[in-house]
């Protein structure tokens, strides 16, 4: 037994879990007219309703006791103080410093360089090699160097300028770059090569092909006006052939999946302008301050984290569905997959011991109402319950039909949470809905740069708190390495190099791929 599973707080929760058998959340609403308010917390334009989850006073007390016993407050202080809590890599975890009211000098310096560059590009002052203004920004990056900025640019599209559009290329599959470049004029295209390490194979290959596309059209000398880089690796950027004057730096204490607040957010700033980018940072800062100062019982990231732990570890539910009822948040589930699964998909604790409890859930999702017509069947009637975060946004940026579209959208989101709670009796077994399936509703008045910043920081801190409770390092990602190493051996073999020994299946697939 580990210290965690052997702790009185853990054991108390296991006992409480048993006490929930046969009790339905719906009946708690009947017993307590104030249940909804009791389990709802509001921070500015963000409202989190946990009342449809299996929480009652003893359960919440026990979860909070677990958080205290695991020293969540101490770890939080260590993170904010810049201690090297990413222990396997000996690094601090300071993405919060990127959005601080008074950021460190190095952060402020890069922000002001970004501000001046963004101003020049958006005003048409920065021109391409032929003297024309930039119309399209193509971000080339993958993982954290893609998902955050791509998701935010889509979410904040209404705040963008019609004069300047962004596109994102991540996949090494040539189709991605080819389709992204389709219809673009090299003379009005700016490439942002985004890579923390500047060694990522996919990004460098895509950047090389993009460079060829540009040089073929405009010549070698055009590169300086059409390529900028975002990286922590100045040497790599120079070696690639991008002028360091056109590089925006960040630091090893910014994890890739936590980097959209850094210069990795450059495409966001280019699309929506610096004021909106700063509002995004300010929203995240508001959540940071809340996370740092609110009592645990009112602390949104802590409450969401504890609810997740409750379902993952005591109800043995393996997944988490993220269901934004807002088309502009279509990429949020993919972004949260990296944030959560790359952070907490771990099976050894901070001391290198195998854990004897489950860690991060499988995260998936799609915007509502699309998901309703696809995988919700399993969420309602499948053999495993799937805790789901419903993210509702009240104001639409496109209130079609005098707002009718938005009212329909919201009616569906709310109805789903009711259906999952209440279920339905029926004579025919296939029409029975068991109900009592857990949901959390995050309701946002309007999706603005500020509220989006709050939402993203909420999830960041939720993931952090869960990692603390599980005693894992949420900030490394060694699980991505083995496949990369094997791919380099296999690539050499596909390209005709000496055959290494593999299993029979892998060898047959390599033979097959040699015809590519
Ligand atoms: O392979 C995983 C990963 O290292 C992520 O953690 C990271 O966000 C992504 O690759 C891209 O890395 P880079 O920004 O260094 O190109």
């Amino acid at each position: 037994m580990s210290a965690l599973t052997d702790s009185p707080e853990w054991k108390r929760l296991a006992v409480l879990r048993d006490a929930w058998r046969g009790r339905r959340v719906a009946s708690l609403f009947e017993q307590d007219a104030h249940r909804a308010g009791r389990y709802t917390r509001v921070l500015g334009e963000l409202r989190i309703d946990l009342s449809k989850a299996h929480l009652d006073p003893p359960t919440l007390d026990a979860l909070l006791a677990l958080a205290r016993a695991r020293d969540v407050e101490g770890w939080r202080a260590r993170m904010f103080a810049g201690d090297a809590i990413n222990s396997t890599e000996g690094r601090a975890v300071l993405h919060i410093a990127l959005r601080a009211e008074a950021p460190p000098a190095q952060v402020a310096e890069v922000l002001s360089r970004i501000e001046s560059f963004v101003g020049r590009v958006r005003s048409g002052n920065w021109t391409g090699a032929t003297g024309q203004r930039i119309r399209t920004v193509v971000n080339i990056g993958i993982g954290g160097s893609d998902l955050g900025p791509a998701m935010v640019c889509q979410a904040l599209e209404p705040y963008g300028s019609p004069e300047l559009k962004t596109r994102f290329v991540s996949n090494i599959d040539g189709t991605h770059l080819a389709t992204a470049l389709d219809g673009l004029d090299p003379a009005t295209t700016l490439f942002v090569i985004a890579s923390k390490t500047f060694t990522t194979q996919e990004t460098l290959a895509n950047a090389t092909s993009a460079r060829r596309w540009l040089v073929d059209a405009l010549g070698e000398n055009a590169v300086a006006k059409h390529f900028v880089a975002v990286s922590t690796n100045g040497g790599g950027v120079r070696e690639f052939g991008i002028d360091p004057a056109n590089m925006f730096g960040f630091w090893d204490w910014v994890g890739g999946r936590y980097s959209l607040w850094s210069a990795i957010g450059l495409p966001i700033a280019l699309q929506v302008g610096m004021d909106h980018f700063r509002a995004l940072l300010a929203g995240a800062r508001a959540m940071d301050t809340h996370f740092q100062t609110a009592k645990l019982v009112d602390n949104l990231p802590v409450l969401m984290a504890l609810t997740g732990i409750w379902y993952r570890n005591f109800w043995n539910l393996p997944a988490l569905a993220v269901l934004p009822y807002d088309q502009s948040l279509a990429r949020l589930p993919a972004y949260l997959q990296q944030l959560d699964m790359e952070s907490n998909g771990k099976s050894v604790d901070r001391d290198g011991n195998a854990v004897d409890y489950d860690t991060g859930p499988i995260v998936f999702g799609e915007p509502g109402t699309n998901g309703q017509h696809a995988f919700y069947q399993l969420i309602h009637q499948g053999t495993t319950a799937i805790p789901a975060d419903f993210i509702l946004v009240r104001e639409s940026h496109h209130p079609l039909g005098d707002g009718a579209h938005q009212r329909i959208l919201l009616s569906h989101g709310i109805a789903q949470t009711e259906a999952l709670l209440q279920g339905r009796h029926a004579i025919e077994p296939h029409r029975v809905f068991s109900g009592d399936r857990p949901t959390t509703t995050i309701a946002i008045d309007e999706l603005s740069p500020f509220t989006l910043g709050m939402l993203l920081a909420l999830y960041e801190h939720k993931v952090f708190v869960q990692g603390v409770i599980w005693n894992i390092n949420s900030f490394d990602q060694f699980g991505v390495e083995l496949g990369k190493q094997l791919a380099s051996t296999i690539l050499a073999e596909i390209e005709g190099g000496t055959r290494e020994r593999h299993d029979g299946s892998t060898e047959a697939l390599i033979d097959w791929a040699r015809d590519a």
Side-chain angles (χ1 to χ4, degrees):
M1 268 200 175
S2 63
L4 177 57
T5 52
D6 202 25
S7 67
E9 294 78 17
W10 193 268
K11 290 177 179 162
R12 165 94 181 118
L13 282 161
V15 171
L16 285 169
R17 163 68 186 101
D18 279 337
W20 272 95
R21 290 184 207 283
R23 286 173 76 208
R24 293 175 64 88
V25 176
S27 66
L28 302 184
F29 278 99
E30 284 155 25
Q31 290 159 21
D32 177 4
H34 302 292
R35 179 174 175 80
R38 225 182 279 294
Y39 293 97
T40 296
R41 302 286 184 278
V42 178
L43 181 66
E45 287 190 42
L46 204 79
R47 156 193 300 264
I48 302 193
D49 179 354
L50 291 159
S51 64
K52 290 188 175 102
H54 295 81
L55 296 175
D56 62 0
T59 305
L60 186 55
D61 284 352
L63 287 166
L64 292 166
L66 178 70
R68 277 188 286 272
R70 304 303 290 174
D71 195 23
V72 165
E73 287 149 301
W75 281 98
R76 181 183 63 191
R78 262 166 252 154
M79 175 169 77
F80 278 87
D83 288 3
I85 61 168
N86 175 356
S87 47
T88 49
E89 297 179 311
R91 292 177 183 167
V93 174
L94 276 173
H95 47 278
I96 43 188
L98 301 167
R99 55 219 192 191
E101 180 96 61
Q106 53 189 343
V107 174
E109 197 254 328
V110 173
L111 261 177
S112 93
R113 284 188 56 227
I114 290 177
E115 178 147 32
S116 109
F117 179 68
V118 164
R120 289 176 68 195
V121 173
R122 284 172 62 88
S123 66
N125 237 326
W126 173 288
T127 54
T130 65
Q132 295 179 68
R133 67 184 291 166
I134 300 297
R135 299 279 175 201
T136 312
V137 173
V138 178
N139 188 83
I140 296 181
I142 197 165
S145 300
D146 165 73
L147 287 163
M151 177 267 300
V152 173
C153 281
Q154 186 177 15
L156 298 184
E157 163 83 35
Y159 295 84
S161 145
E163 304 283 319
L164 189 67
K165 295 291 179 194
T166 48
R167 296 188 185 184
F168 288 82
V169 177
S170 51
N171 202 333
I172 183 63
D173 182 344
T175 304
H176 205 175
L177 181 63
T179 52
L181 296 183
D182 193 30
L184 293 189
D185 178 357
T188 60
T189 301
L190 175 75
F191 290 97
V192 176
I193 312 303
S195 175
K196 179 176 169 182
T197 55
F198 230 78
T199 58
T200 302
Q201 186 185 35
E202 295 93 324
T203 299
L204 295 188
N206 276 326
T208 303
S209 296
R211 195 178 199 281
R212 171 79 16 243
W213 176 83
L214 183 97
V215 168
D216 283 351
L218 301 176
E220 243 343 289
N221 290 340
V223 171
K225 298 296 261 171
H226 293 268
F227 273 78
V228 300
V230 180
S231 187
T232 60
N233 176 3
V237 168
R238 196 174 307 110
E239 208 173 297
F240 180 80
I242 296 179
D243 184 350
N246 292 344
M247 169 180 148
F248 301 89
F250 62 113
W251 308 274
D252 70 358
W253 41 263
V254 181
R257 53 194 173 275
Y258 299 87
S259 64
L260 74 87
W261 323 100
S262 72
I264 289 289
L266 180 64
I268 305 172
L270 284 165
Q271 183 185 292
V272 300
M274 211 55 199
D275 288 349
H276 290 317
F277 185 63
R278 286 192 191 278
L280 181 79
L281 300 184
R285 178 162 69 243
M287 185 57 72
D288 295 342
T289 305
H290 166 82
F291 176 52
Q292 252 192 313
T293 57
K295 287 185 297 187
L296 294 189
V297 68
D298 293 321
N299 200 304
L300 305 183
V302 171
L303 291 172
M304 282 191 58
L306 292 174
T307 307
I309 297 266
W310 179 226
Y311 287 121
R312 185 76 185 100
N313 296 113
F314 298 94
W315 294 65
N316 294 323
L317 303 181
L320 171 69
V322 178
L323 309 168
Y325 277 67
D326 188 316
Q327 186 59 29
S328 68
L329 290 174
R331 293 296 285 160
L332 182 69
Y335 165 81
L336 291 179
Q337 275 175 332
Q338 187 195 16
L339 177 65
D340 203 323
M341 295 169 81
E342 204 175 62
S343 296
N344 285 344
K346 312 279 166 70
S347 2
V348 292
D349 68 15
R350 287 183 164 275
D351 306 312
N353 301 315
V355 297
D356 61 352
Y357 41 85
D358 283 316
T359 60
I362 301 155
V363 178
F364 73 100
E366 276 290 323
T369 62
N370 292 5
Q372 292 178 200
H373 298 273
F375 55 81
Y376 280 33
Q377 164 65 37
L378 186 148
I379 298 182
H380 285 285
Q381 290 189 317
T383 51
T384 183
I386 297 186
D389 289 354
F390 282 79
I391 301 171
L392 309 181
V393 179
R394 195 172 53 203
E395 305 297 324
S396 173
H397 288 291
H398 302 281
L400 298 187
D402 278 337
H405 283 244
Q406 188 63 9
R407 292 189 292 275
I408 295 169
L409 176 69
L410 290 174
S411 72
H412 278 288
I414 297 167
Q416 289 296 326
T417 70
E418 186 180 30
L420 287 161
L421 172 77
Q422 300 287 358
R424 185 176 70 186
H425 298 293
I427 310 279
E428 300 148 295
H430 56 274
R431 293 192 197 277
V432 171
F433 288 68
S434 66
D436 205 40
R437 299 202 159 198
T439 62
T440 296
T441 303
I442 301 175
I444 304 170
D445 293 351
E446 186 184 1
L447 192 67
S448 64
F450 190 88
T451 56
L452 181 61
M454 289 177 84
L455 178 70
L456 302 180
L458 167 71
Y459 275 103
E460 285 181 347
H461 295 319
K462 180 204 89 157
V463 166
F464 168 75
V465 170
Q466 293 186 332
V468 168
I469 290 175
W470 286 322
N471 191 30
I472 55 179
N473 178 4
S474 301
F475 300 102
D476 62 13
Q477 57 283 320
F478 290 100
V480 301
E481 281 183 5
L482 178 59
K484 289 185 194 172
Q485 283 158 16
L486 296 185
S488 89
T489 310
I490 290 174
L491 175 61
E493 293 172 60
I494 290 175
E495 290 180 337
T498 322
R499 285 296 296 264
E500 305 282 331
R501 220 174 138 54
H502 305 271
D503 60 86
S505 162
T506 305
E507 283 175 4
L509 288 167
I510 293 170
D511 286 342
W512 167 83
R514 279 183 157 164
D515 288 336

